[in-house]
Amino acid sequence: MRTLLLALAASTALIGTANAATVFPLDRATILAGSPFDFKVEFDGQVKADDVKVTVNGADYKATLGSDVQFVENEKGKDDKVLGSAVLLRGVKINKAGSYTVDVSAGGETKSVTWNVYATPATPKAKNIIFLLGDGLSVAHRTAARIMAKGMTEGKANGRLAMDDLDHMAFIGTSSTNAINTDSANTMSAYMTGHKTAINALGVYADRTPPSLDDPKVENIAEALRRTTKKSIGVVVTSEIEDATPAAVVAHTRKRDDKADIVGMLYDVKPEVVLGGGSAYFLSKEVPGSKRKDDKDYIKLFQDAGYKLATDKSELEKAAGSDKILGLFHTGNMDYALDRMQLKKGTVDKFPNQPGLVEMAKIALDNLSKNPEGFFLMIEGSCIDKASHPLDMERAVFETIEFDQAVALAREFQAKNPDTLIVVTGDHTHGVSIVGTIDDTIGKEGREKFLVGANAGFPTYADANKDGYPDKIDPSRRLAMFVSNYPDHYETFNPKLDGPFEPAVKNEKGEYVANEKYKDVPGAIFVEGNLPKDESTGTHTVDDVVLQAAGPGADEFKGYMEESDVYKVLADTFALGVKQ
């Protein structure tokens, strides 16, 4: 009998799923009062417009959502396959805070969702917000950065990171709407819009149609600031400026790789300061190195709009006094801090005068703080993630130290400008752990020089020049950091001094296999991967990230929060729910 009941329950669940429409925004969405969003209903079957019924809190939807409805009887997918019917309203606004239950029905399909529309205080709590995001920043990155940069004696750290002393803390959930897993697009999009979304999506709810630029939009923070304030906006990163995290500040697309389109969206918003890599997507197609497929020259367009262009550290210093700055210091992602500062590997020979994150952040703060109305500045330590994917832990920790020095700069600014909220967090984690030490002095190779427990002792990093970084990344005893998920690769138990690590390469079957380049390193061992063979590097993990904050509004960060909840704190702090 129990088996029969379970089978009936499963059958009922399947029937319910097949006859349920999809509604965007999704159930439990949090929506800023007065913030524009697109409303869409997707029916699995074909229905007639006259059969569609939509109510909001029991009343006809027109009073709340408006009447400018687009009805699509045959919404099509790939190869013109009919997916069903759809209803779409663009640019909906709900000005009154409260709980809104939306009921939809047509052709036997039903769906009910409830939205929480929230207001904000009438008066801002802070004049400025500095939002610092370490891409992929995990607890182990922080611990390793503290040990490498400050040292440890008899079990106690010899110094503290700047982020250690931010006085409010929360754990942040990072999962996407379509999986427990996550990426930088959906995570940062939730921070910057207050709406959770699907992996690879930015500023939209991911619908079922193939085009990536027509999905239901939600307002991002840059648009909200332009709509309700006269504040300046800055974006400072070490990745391509069109990469997922910076793109989330301004963009609307289902596909984070729409980088040429994202440049156009950046131009539409025109943040006063834009600093990072990714010039290849600004150049018209006839320019060597361009990754555009059209003849738009966005560098010229930005210059015509009053921006001072900087392409290296010297030009950035000269542009410091300009009202608007566009800094593009690499055609792709900027080089790792370890390579820029010490090893001179990667593409440093091609781009020898790249500024660091702290230098860029200082220029941005000097520029944006001229605005008496205040500013929003997003600073990303982009390459913590980009080094963690290929298991290149020394580079990842160097990036974390650089990111923390940017946090220190923000704290110095805040000390002089106490009407500034600082938020420091990650967008997702990596499966990184510090397990012990690796000791080159014991006359052994490979795994035999990997020490754990009482044998591990303490690493011997030194910082003689007091720049906050270890003078050598390969001292005789160093941290042993490993990752929980990986492709087939050779573990060498050594830092990659000859250039960034590439653990796996694609074979003739299209599968990723261990890179033979590292096979003959003394002591190297083959490690069979635990990821599918179509994965070339380690992947993001689902663990919560740590958020810390200080300044006006920081007390709202506490306990467990979703990334979409973080946007509500930012909106409260700037009073974005009311016209200023």
Side-chain angles (χ1 to χ4, degrees), residues 32-55:
L32 174 66
S35 178
F37 64 93
D38 294 343
F39 171 73
K40 186 180 184 185
V41 182
E42 294 178 339
F43 296 100
D44 286 343
Q46 292 172 272
V47 302
K48 298 297 183 183
D50 292 344
D51 293 336
V52 177
K53 183 179 181 182
V54 180
T55 62

Side-chain angles (χ1 to χ4, degrees), residues 80-215:
D80 283 338
K81 179 183 178 181
V82 175
L83 303 172
S85 300
V87 172
L88 180 64
L89 286 84
R90 297 281 189 188
V92 171
K93 291 183 180 181
I94 302 177
N95 293 319
K96 185 178 179 181
S99 179
Y100 291 81
T101 298
V102 180
D103 293 298
V104 174
S105 65
E109 297 184 49
T110 62
K111 185 70 174 182
S112 180
V113 300
T114 299
W115 304 331
N116 173 31
V117 178
Y118 60 90
T120 63
T123 304
K125 299 177 182 179
K127 178 180 176 181
N128 314 305
I129 294 177
I130 306 174
F131 190 94
L132 297 110
L133 185 133
D135 199 310
L137 183 67
S138 309
V139 171
H141 289 118
R142 296 165 58 120
T143 305
R146 189 183 306 108
I147 293 173
M148 279 194 186
K150 310 298 180 182
M152 177 173 280
T153 303
E154 296 177 337
K156 290 188 176 182
N158 296 337
R160 301 174 68 85
L161 299 175
M163 67 180 91
D164 288 338
D165 294 321
L166 295 162
D167 53 4
H168 292 274
M169 180 182 291
F171 286 99
I172 309 295
T174 65
S175 295
S176 63
T177 58
N178 59 338
I180 63 170
N181 291 84
T182 191
D183 82 319
S184 295
N186 77 270
T187 51
M188 188 60 171
S189 184
Y191 279 143
M192 295 291 102
T193 69
H195 293 259
K196 286 264 188 175
T197 189
I199 289 175
N200 294 324
L202 295 162
V204 298
Y205 280 100
D207 71 11
R208 64 190 176 185
T209 60
S212 59
L213 300 176
D214 72 346
D215 294 37

Side-chain angles (χ1 to χ4, degrees), residues 360-408:
M360 292 191 289
K362 185 178 187 308
I363 295 291
L365 283 170
D366 290 345
N367 174 286
L368 299 172
S369 60
K370 295 176 184 177
N371 186 346
E373 298 289 332
F375 64 83
F376 173 81
L377 172 60
M378 194 286 290
I379 301 171
E380 183 194 27
S382 316
C383 295
I384 300 170
D385 170 83
K386 297 189 186 307
S388 297
H389 276 294
L391 324 180
D392 202 335
M393 288 300 104
E394 281 76 17
R395 283 179 172 81
V397 178
F398 242 69
E399 294 296 316
T400 308
I401 296 171
E402 181 180 52
F403 175 70
D404 189 66
Q405 291 193 359
V407 176

Side-chain angles (χ1 to χ4, degrees), residues 162-397:
M163 67 180 91
D164 288 338
D165 294 321
L166 295 162
D167 53 4
H168 292 274
M169 180 182 291
F171 286 99
I172 309 295
T174 65
S175 295
S176 63
T177 58
N178 59 338
I180 63 170
N181 291 84
T182 191
D183 82 319
S184 295
N186 77 270
T187 51
M188 188 60 171
S189 184
Y191 279 143
M192 295 291 102
T193 69
H195 293 259
K196 286 264 188 175
T197 189
I199 289 175
N200 294 324
L202 295 162
V204 298
Y205 280 100
D207 71 11
R208 64 190 176 185
T209 60
S212 59
L213 300 176
D214 72 346
D215 294 37
K217 296 179 181 180
V218 293
E219 185 179 54
N220 55 50
I221 194 166
E223 293 167 331
L225 290 167
R226 292 293 191 237
R227 178 174 60 85
T228 64
T229 79
K230 296 180 180 179
K231 294 182 184 296
S232 295
I233 300 170
V235 180
V236 175
V237 300
T238 51
S239 66
E240 295 174 316
I241 200 68
E242 317 85 9
D243 203 18
T245 299
V249 180
V250 301
H252 301 281
T253 173
R254 172 67 180 88
K255 186 180 177 184
R256 59 181 285 179
D257 288 337
D258 287 335
K259 294 181 180 181
D261 296 297
I262 289 168
V263 172
M265 298 172 196
L266 187 71
Y267 178 74
D268 290 340
V269 173
K270 295 183 182 64
E272 281 72 10
V273 178
V274 178
L275 304 176
S279 63
Y281 291 97
F282 283 72
L283 303 169
S284 60
K285 64 180 180 181
E286 70 273 7
V287 178
S290 171
K291 291 186 177 181
R292 297 193 67 84
K293 296 179 180 180
D294 57 33
D295 57 2
K296 289 186 177 180
D297 181 350
Y298 272 99
I299 289 179
K300 184 177 186 304
L301 287 170
F302 271 92
Q303 288 177 314
D304 290 346
Y307 284 77
K308 182 70 174 178
L309 176 66
T311 61
D312 63 17
K313 187 187 303 185
S314 301
E315 290 182 359
L316 179 61
E317 291 170 355
K318 293 176 183 177
S322 305
D323 292 336
K324 298 178 182 179
I325 306 173
L326 173 65
L328 298 171
F329 308 108
H330 200 290
T331 51
N333 299 314
M334 296 172 67
D335 281 287
Y336 293 117
L338 178 60
D339 294 308
R340 284 188 276 109
M341 295 178 184
Q342 292 187 9
L343 301 182
K344 307 304 179 186
K345 300 296 183 179
T347 59
V348 172
D349 58 334
K350 296 179 181 179
F351 302 92
N353 199 26
Q354 300 169 58
L357 186 65
V358 178
E359 293 162 305
M360 292 191 289
K362 185 178 187 308
I363 295 291
L365 283 170
D366 290 345
N367 174 286
L368 299 172
S369 60
K370 295 176 184 177
N371 186 346
E373 298 289 332
F375 64 83
F376 173 81
L377 172 60
M378 194 286 290
I379 301 171
E380 183 194 27
S382 316
C383 295
I384 300 170
D385 170 83
K386 297 189 186 307
S388 297
H389 276 294
L391 324 180
D392 202 335
M393 288 300 104
E394 281 76 17
R395 283 179 172 81
V397 178

